[in-house]
Amino acid sequence: MVMNYMLSEEEQLLIETAKIVANEKIKPVRQYYDKNEEFPWSIINELAKADLCGVYIPEAYGGLGKGIMGLILVVEELCKIDAGIALTLAATALGILPILLFGTSTQKKKYLPDIAAGKSIAAFCLTEANAGSDVTAINTTAIQDGDHYIINGNKCFITNGGEAQVYTVFVKTNTDKGLRGISCFIIDKETQGFAFGKKEHKMGIRASSTRELIFNNCKIHKDQMIGHIGAGLIIAQKTLNYSRPGVAAQALGIATGALYEAIHYAKKRVQFGKSIITFQAIQHMLADMATEVEAARAFLYSCVRMIDAKISKRISKESAMVKLFCSEVAMKVTLNAVQILGGYGYLQDYNVEKMMRDAKITTLYEGTSQIQRNEIALGLIKETVINE
Amino acid sequence: MNKIVICIKHIHNIGINYFDLYALEEGVQLKEQNQDNSKVIVFTMGPRGSESTLRTAISKGADEAYLLTDDKFFKGSDTIATSYILATAIKLLVGQYKIIICGKKTYDSGTEQVGPAIATMLNIPHVSYVREIKSINQRRLTVERVVDDGYETIRSSLPVLLTVTNGVHKPRIASIKSKLLARKANIKIFNAYDLDINTSKIGLYGSPTQVVSLYTKKKKLKKKFSGSARYIVSSFIKQFNNSI
Amino acid sequence: MNNMSISLSYTYKGVCIYAEYNRGCISTTTYDLIHIGRSLATKLNVTLSVIIIGSNINKTITQDYINIGVDNLYICDNTLLYEFQDNIYSDILLRMIQIICPEILIFSATSRSIPLASIIAAKLYTGMTSNCISLDIDIKTRNLQQFTEDMKTILTPYHRPQIVTLRAKIFNKIRVKCKANRIGKIVKLPIDVNNNIFNKIKAINFTKYKVDNIFKDLSTAEVIVSVGRGVRTYKIFQLIKEFVMIINGKLGASKGIVDLGWVPYSCQIGETGISVNPRLYIACGISGHKQHTIGINSSSTIVAINIDPNCYMMQIANFALQGDLGEIITEFIKQLKKHN
């Protein structure tokens, strides 16, 4: 990789440390966790020891204070080796962002330090069986009862579900107010009335736990609410604006890992008396893959620099673009990597088939590619109205 | 104060010598196991660039670091001279130590002599090729070592010097915070004059052994053998032994 | 630093071998060392001495050594010395060196002798070269030329004794000239039982390696014997295991053999297994698919044993042995065991 993004010395230190953990601790066990769909607690422990869990959390709460840039650099590096395991870190960031962005200092003091230390992980709980792309269709209710709220309903497809300690859950506090009737609560794992459904068996990111959440008269204190009542949708949208680059980083890491596997293989594989990397067909595929990966990276890094600089509050279009672009690139690159490895690419012993399976989710969660396009178009419309 | 001394070597372009990582890890784990005050002190002898390896050691748990460097007098020292320099420094700068740990050999020259030589010069016993420290108290320790034909358990009084092989404790990955702190850590630097060392015994001219030449490796052969099994094996062994 | 003092060059004379003796057994490398020591002593026209320290040292060994060219034997025999312990032996060895004053002192390059040699070198502040692969004498200067395995020639011009540790040959077949009932001198030395080193350090326990040790630590192994699909029967596989143990190597395998369950997966060498870089790689019945050979460092010396002379492994090998695998391995065991 010859492109130099002028990262600071400390940012390079983050990458270097993530690389060491990925290669020494994750690489030997990635096949095991993928095959067994086991949650990688021992790896989370290693990430915690290396101080990688709190890169985006402010120093005041025990983190490294490196912002979203710090997060995506670490996530990208880990995803080059295994996206499923890296996802525990990325999904925790998503789950904790509502507190980070909108929480009171009491809430932050209560939850952020343990997350930064890697002692607890988080989950973002929005999706329901009938509410995927259509977020407003959520049915989980929260009825006020004195100083408490009683929560009833189910969430599905929750990453880190069942393993996380901290859940940021989006519920309907007022069914009449439509979009303004959604609120966000922090719910701890041990809360009574909060249970977990079965673990899903997935195509990819199998080391990650995806579960259903079941709320049955779950009683929580009003102090657990993030922001004010009815702010839920705004919180969700703003959170996703910050977390989408995280998904883009996952996709970018997967794509980069697949690209390296493909180049490495093409150099060694001899057919018709020559390395297949000498064939123009392969060279052109690799050239396209490499160019797209680099373009994705350049876009992601510039976008995140802009986000961290807090220049503008309007970042939804850009973060949607970057998530869309990187995830689509990941799909293309991993498919081509399998193609280049030929028959061997189809075997589980070689990692590219896993990378292809892992890449698919990036075009689906945190908003499907179609939803991203909606966001982008909406942004274009709003911008042109403003400039006229 | 229990002082745990680790001797490490800096390898050009690579960093800390592979077995020294294990030595450091053993030392740091010993420190972390003891409730009383223990300190890990790292020494290295080498060119100025070895400083980076000392910082790596600090990021992996060392408390103090000493760089013994002297382009005029230390350069070109062979293993006995190097051991002499390290032993002199340890005696002068550390005083009472509980244990000294070295890697079993260096990656590049691999003589395996430095550990035992330092122990001899400090007049303490040593145990080589230690794989695990089984128990340790104020006066004794018990270790398991690896020899050519098996494992041996040795009990020794303290202080003692150990040379370690890649044993049960894997070297830790330095956390980001400790790497950031290591960058600012104070490395103490000493030269021949500071150590008041007999320079006629060290360096290129004082070292007992001298490298006279580097001979070129014989070209890689391609030899074929066929016939009776006895003929094949006899002629192969003869040619193989001659080719070295 | 000028020429060695005249007194030094006159005081230190003779070649001396340290014969490693542990728990009642003499090391198998001793014959090798004596052969080399004898040739050096003859070139220098000096005597050859051998030192043995241990407990209950076998009398027939001592006469055998004299018969193959040893002039003097220095022995320290005591029950307290049953287990080899370098910290304890070094005091005794030092006294013997001070009596013998050899100009050359040779140890075998083993995990027991190297630290012992290092103690002596440090005590005497003299030169020591580890892991020599061969030695020669420069007749003009009487200096010992020490050739190491990393291609250096080392001298110890101004210090005595010149201490070296010599690597055993992987394939060891020495025929030593034997003269029955040759005359030699045997000197017995007592130990100092009051030496408090006996209180400081003790070997408590020893566990010999089991057979499955040949499957471990392949990534740092110096000698690897690898098996492939050409190993047709389990019987031949067992012969190969025996061969591996004789040459102190480790056992690796191609994917085909791992899939049969004969060896653990950790022994698989190649693309979906581990990478190795031994000095010597012996491929038994391996045809040499790229998926396997990619795991072998290109600087290793490769020996291939195969019935098919045209397969890839035989073509890239430095030594290609064409024949029946079972017969060749059996012959190896016969010829190498004969020596040991």
Side-chain angles (χ1 to χ4, degrees):
Chain A
M1 207 201 314
V2 189
M3 269 298 293
N4 189 334
Y5 293 95
M6 269 71 78
L7 300 172
S8 74
E9 234 183 86
E10 294 192 352
E11 283 166 345
Q12 284 174 28
L13 191 58
L14 295 183
I15 297 178
E16 177 196 293
T17 309
K19 195 178 198 150
I20 293 173
V21 176
N23 281 300
E24 285 183 26
K25 304 289 177 185
I26 299 181
K27 201 172 191 174
V29 294
R30 58 182 168 175
Q31 291 269 4
Y32 169 81
Y33 282 109
D34 183 67
K35 287 201 166 82
N36 294 309
E37 295 181 282
E38 198 180 296
F39 195 77
W41 280 113
S42 68
I43 305 294
I44 293 174
N45 196 22
E46 293 296 336
L47 292 170
K49 279 196 286 190
D51 292 333
L52 287 170
C53 292
V55 286
Y56 55 97
I57 294 188
E59 284 180 271
Y61 300 104
L64 292 175
K66 295 292 164 205
I68 302 293
M69 192 68 189
L71 176 67
I72 63 134
L73 290 174
V74 169
V75 167
E76 182 196 343
E77 195 59 43
L78 296 176
C79 285
K80 286 181 191 171
I81 297 297
D82 184 276
I85 293 176
L87 182 54
T88 53
L89 189 77
T92 295
L94 171 59
I96 214 72
L97 268 169
I99 301 177
L100 201 61
L101 297 171
F102 298 97
T104 61
S105 67
T106 316
Q107 288 168 336
K108 286 182 189 176
K109 265 189 224 140
K110 184 175 176 190
Y111 291 104
L112 294 184
D114 277 351
I115 297 281
K119 286 192 195 142
S120 67
I121 59 176
F124 183 84
C125 315
L126 180 56
T127 308
E128 293 179 20
N130 285 322
S133 293
D134 183 8
V135 164
T136 59
I138 60 169
N139 266 327
T140 305
T141 52
I143 311 289
Q144 192 163 13
D145 176 18
D147 276 345
H148 291 84
Y149 283 84
I150 313 290
I151 316 239
N152 276 290
N154 296 345
K155 294 287 182 190
C156 72
F157 295 169
I158 304 303
T159 307
N160 285 345
E163 312 285 348
Q165 280 72 31
V166 184
Y167 295 80
T168 47
V169 188
F170 293 84
V171 294
K172 261 249 154 80
T173 35
N174 194 321
T175 42
D176 296 331
K177 289 204 174 156
L179 302 176
R180 302 262 167 84
I182 299 175
S183 305
C184 181
F185 287 91
I186 312 167
I187 304 185
D188 293 309
K189 185 180 183 185
E190 310 303 328
T191 313
Q192 223 182 23
F194 180 14
F196 301 102
K198 76 170 172 75
K199 190 164 158 180
E200 305 289 357
H201 299 293
K202 307 185 293 293
M203 171 197 272
I205 51 161
R206 288 157 58 90
S208 164
S209 284
T210 308
R211 277 196 180 89
E212 193 186 356
L213 309 184
I214 302 164
F215 297 99
N216 192 357
N217 293 328
C218 177
K219 187 172 176 180
I220 52 168
H221 196 273
K222 64 177 185 182
D223 286 347
Q224 294 295 101
M225 187 187 291
I226 300 181
H228 60 82
I229 193 165
L233 200 61
I234 306 277
I235 293 174
Q237 283 171 344
K238 293 263 189 249
T239 298
L240 289 169
N241 286 344
Y242 282 90
S243 70
R244 279 172 181 153
V247 180
Q250 289 168 42
L252 182 60
I254 299 170
T256 311
L259 175 62
Y260 288 156
E261 295 274 349
I263 296 172
H264 185 63
Y265 179 84
K267 278 186 176 177
K268 293 177 320 191
R269 176 69 172 172
V270 172
Q271 288 286 271
F272 308 108
K274 292 187 268 192
S275 286
I276 63 172
I277 206 166
T278 60
F279 301 149
Q280 202 173 63
I282 301 289
Q283 287 179 352
H284 284 192
M285 284 170 82
L286 289 173
D288 285 343
M289 287 155 73
T291 308
E292 285 174 338
V293 165
E294 209 58 63
R297 181 170 294 115
F299 189 12
L300 176 61
Y301 288 8
S302 349
C303 182
V304 173
R305 284 269 187 243
M306 188 190 78
I307 291 174
D308 276 341
K310 297 188 172 38
I311 298 172
S312 167
K313 285 198 175 166
R314 290 187 218 279
I315 53 170
S316 54
K317 170 169 136 272
E318 287 68 31
S319 75
M321 280 171 145
V322 101
K323 193 265 196 195
L324 172 68
F325 189 68
C326 291
S327 57
E328 302 276 313
V329 164
M331 232 22 253
K332 259 190 275 178
V333 168
T334 52
L335 267 167
N336 278 330
V338 173
Q339 192 69 22
I340 289 173
L341 264 75
Y344 290 101
Y346 208 64
L347 301 180
Q348 287 185 337
D349 289 337
Y350 294 77
N351 283 297
V352 288
E353 61 82 30
K354 178 172 157 302
M355 289 170 175
M356 192 181 102
R357 288 188 286 109
D358 289 344
K360 191 59 206 153
I361 193 66
T362 61
T363 63
L364 302 173
Y365 66 7
E366 292 195 36
T368 60
S369 295
Q370 286 66 30
I371 294 297
Q372 304 305 329
R373 288 183 174 101
N374 284 357
E375 278 293 329
I376 297 167
L378 211 66
L380 288 172
I381 295 169
K382 282 188 192 162
E383 275 167 30
T384 48
V385 166
I386 293 165
N387 285 337
E388 261 159 30
Chain B
M1 167 70 68
N2 283 319
K3 294 186 192 167
I4 302 165
V5 177
I6 316 284
C7 293
I8 63 177
K9 183 167 177 180
H10 169 82
I11 312 274
H12 186 54
N13 280 343
I14 292 177
I16 186 169
N17 173 42
Y18 175 73
F19 291 106
D20 298 344
L21 278 170
Y22 286 87
L24 178 62
E25 182 61 30
E26 281 306 316
V28 175
Q29 290 222 12
L30 276 179
K31 170 181 87 162
E32 288 168 351
Q33 274 162 32
N34 289 339
Q35 270 90 7
D36 49 15
N37 264 331
S38 284
K39 203 157 60 158
V40 172
I41 304 171
V42 184
F43 280 83
T44 192
M45 188 209 96
R48 263 310 185 115
S50 311
E51 197 180 306
S52 61
T53 282
L54 286 172
R55 294 196 191 278
T56 304
I58 293 176
S59 74
K60 290 184 193 257
D63 299 298
E64 281 176 30
Y66 291 86
L67 172 60
L68 313 172
T69 186
D70 196 315
D71 280 341
K72 185 169 176 201
F73 292 112
F74 292 170
K75 202 170 175 179
S77 293
D78 71 357
T79 41
I80 289 291
T82 302
S83 311
Y84 171 55
I85 295 167
L86 284 163
T88 307
I90 293 171
K91 204 184 325 195
L92 181 71
L93 301 168
V94 180
Q96 286 262 42
Y97 44 82
K98 187 174 184 182
I99 185 170
I100 304 176
I101 312 179
C102 306
K104 80 170 188 187
K105 69 176 189 175
T106 42
Y107 166 84
D108 54 6
S109 64
T111 62
E112 301 175 49
Q113 294 173 32
V114 172
I118 294 176
T120 307
M121 292 176 188
L122 291 173
N123 212 15
I124 59 174
H126 84 274
V127 186
S128 304
Y129 315 117
V130 171
R131 173 177 108 103
E132 186 186 355
I133 298 176
K134 288 200 142 0
S135 68
I136 183 168
N137 62 30
Q138 282 302 108
R139 284 172 303 123
R140 289 211 295 227
L141 60 48
T142 307
V143 296
E144 187 180 84
R145 67 187 279 235
V146 179
V147 284
D148 295 325
D149 50 353
Y151 301 104
E152 199 170 49
T153 309
I154 307 279
R155 189 174 59 214
S156 171
S157 62
L158 298 177
V160 70
L161 183 144
L162 306 178
T163 79
V164 300
T165 180
N166 47 341
V168 278
H169 294 137
K170 295 261 170 290
R172 63 190 59 192
I173 296 176
S175 73
I176 298 174
K177 285 183 190 166
S178 61
K179 281 190 203 178
L180 291 170
L181 282 171
R183 285 190 184 181
K184 303 184 207 135
N186 177 32
I187 309 276
K188 299 178 235 227
I189 305 179
F190 289 81
N191 61 24
Y193 176 75
D194 300 323
L195 296 180
D196 195 22
I197 205 164
N198 181 351
T199 54
S200 65
K201 290 168 86 169
I202 57 173
L204 195 56
Y205 299 106
S207 295
T209 59
Q210 317 264 336
V211 177
V212 166
S213 64
L214 267 63
Y215 58 87
T216 47
K217 207 168 189 176
K218 287 195 187 146
K219 240 187 174 176
K220 270 291 170 76
L221 312 146
K222 281 257 171 91
K223 290 213 180 283
K224 303 201 188 296
F225 303 85
S226 55
S228 74
R230 191 157 80 130
Y231 171 75
I232 291 174
V233 172
S234 302
S235 39
F236 160 72
I237 291 180
K238 194 168 174 193
Q239 297 226 27
F240 180 84
N241 285 339
N242 284 341
S243 75
I244 295 175
Chain C
M1 185 23 119
N2 295 320
N3 291 327
M4 175 167 55
S5 69
I6 294 172
S7 62
L8 200 65
S9 64
Y10 276 119
T11 324
Y12 282 86
K13 275 261 185 313
V15 177
C16 182
I17 309 277
Y18 175 76
E20 188 182 298
Y21 195 86
N22 172 46
R23 291 180 169 89
C25 292
I26 195 87
S27 164
T28 51
T29 58
T30 310
Y31 267 99
D32 206 352
L33 295 184
I34 291 177
H35 173 70
I36 293 167
R38 181 67 261 168
S39 118
L40 293 172
T42 305
K43 273 192 192 162
L44 285 165
N45 198 17
V46 294
T47 54
L48 176 65
S49 307
V50 167
I51 296 175
I52 310 178
I53 299 171
S55 170
N56 226 350
I57 295 164
N58 198 326
K59 284 199 176 59
T60 50
I61 286 178
T62 52
Q63 188 53 46
D64 277 348
Y65 287 174
I66 294 173
N67 289 345
I68 59 172
V70 175
D71 300 306
N72 308 309
L73 271 152
Y74 292 83
I75 297 175
C76 184
D77 192 333
N78 192 300
T79 47
L80 286 171
L81 303 171
Y82 178 67
E83 300 97 4
F84 182 103
Q85 226 310 315
D86 40 22
N87 294 279
I88 295 173
Y89 282 24
S90 58
D91 286 340
I92 301 164
L93 186 52
L94 199 62
R95 269 192 296 133
M96 288 181 168
I97 302 296
Q98 284 162 345
I99 295 170
I100 306 170
C101 287
E103 56 198 291
I104 293 171
L105 177 57
I106 305 176
F107 294 78
S108 61
T110 64
S111 57
R112 292 198 169 88
S113 290
I114 291 177
L116 177 59
S118 308
I119 296 177
I120 302 299
K123 274 249 157 67
L124 299 175
Y125 207 89
T126 181
M128 172 182 157
T129 304
S130 283
N131 295 314
C132 290
I133 51 175
S134 70
L135 302 170
D136 205 354
I137 297 290
D138 179 347
I139 290 296
K140 268 184 280 181
T141 59
R142 291 180 74 88
N143 279 334
L144 180 67
Q145 291 174 314
Q146 307 152 32
F147 302 103
T148 68
E149 60 172 359
D150 49 353
M151 292 169 290
K152 295 191 194 130
T153 308
I154 299 185
L155 297 179
T156 308
Y158 308 122
H159 293 76
R160 291 292 179 268
Q162 304 159 93
I163 303 181
V164 292
T165 70
L166 204 54
R167 271 198 172 252
K169 286 199 166 60
I170 299 172
F171 303 106
N172 218 340
K173 276 183 66 172
I174 304 288
R175 250 164 237 121
V176 188
K177 276 186 236 159
C178 189
K179 190 172 172 191
N181 293 321
R182 195 169 165 279
I183 307 290
K185 188 172 78 177
I186 300 179
V187 179
K188 297 206 171 148
L189 271 81
I191 62 164
D192 176 10
V193 285
N194 292 319
N195 188 343
N196 77 337
I197 190 70
F198 288 106
N199 297 325
K200 284 192 180 170
I201 193 158
K202 187 167 172 54
I204 306 177
N205 190 22
F206 174 69
T207 319
K208 207 173 161 87
Y209 284 142
K210 299 195 188 58
V211 175
D212 65 355
N213 191 56
I214 58 174
F215 299 137
K216 298 191 184 143
D217 297 322
L218 259 72
S219 46
T220 51
E222 304 257 284
V223 177
I224 296 181
V225 178
S226 213
V227 288
R229 272 278 161 75
V231 179
R232 296 211 185 281
T233 66
Y234 194 72
K235 205 167 179 187
I236 297 180
F237 175 64
Q238 284 178 309
L239 277 175
I240 294 177
K241 277 203 281 189
E242 195 184 334
F243 172 59
V244 174
M245 291 199 285
I246 291 175
I247 62 171
N248 280 323
K250 300 284 183 179
L251 187 71
S254 65
K255 186 169 189 292
I257 294 291
V258 173
D259 289 345
L260 285 175
W262 290 358
V263 296
Y265 176 65
S266 52
C267 295
Q268 186 172 315
I269 295 173
E271 190 159 56
T272 51
I274 60 169
S275 293
V276 294
N277 67 345
R279 274 186 295 140
L280 177 63
Y281 189 84
I282 304 177
C284 302
I286 296 183
S287 51
H289 289 305
K290 265 279 160 68
Q291 286 82 3
H292 175 74
T293 58
I294 195 84
I296 312 165
N297 190 308
S298 53
S299 60
S300 306
T301 300
I302 297 179
V303 174
I305 309 175
N306 205 307
I307 194 89
D308 172 12
N310 298 317
C311 69
Y312 185 67
M313 205 64 173
M314 291 287 270
Q315 303 214 356
I316 63 167
N318 301 108
F319 298 90
L321 281 55
Q322 181 202 344
D324 178 85
L325 184 59
E327 283 176 21
I328 291 177
I329 296 293
T330 308
E331 188 62 31
F332 262 115
I333 295 174
K334 188 163 127 201
Q335 294 199 17
L336 295 174
K337 242 185 168 167
K338 187 162 73 179
H339 168 69
N340 288 333

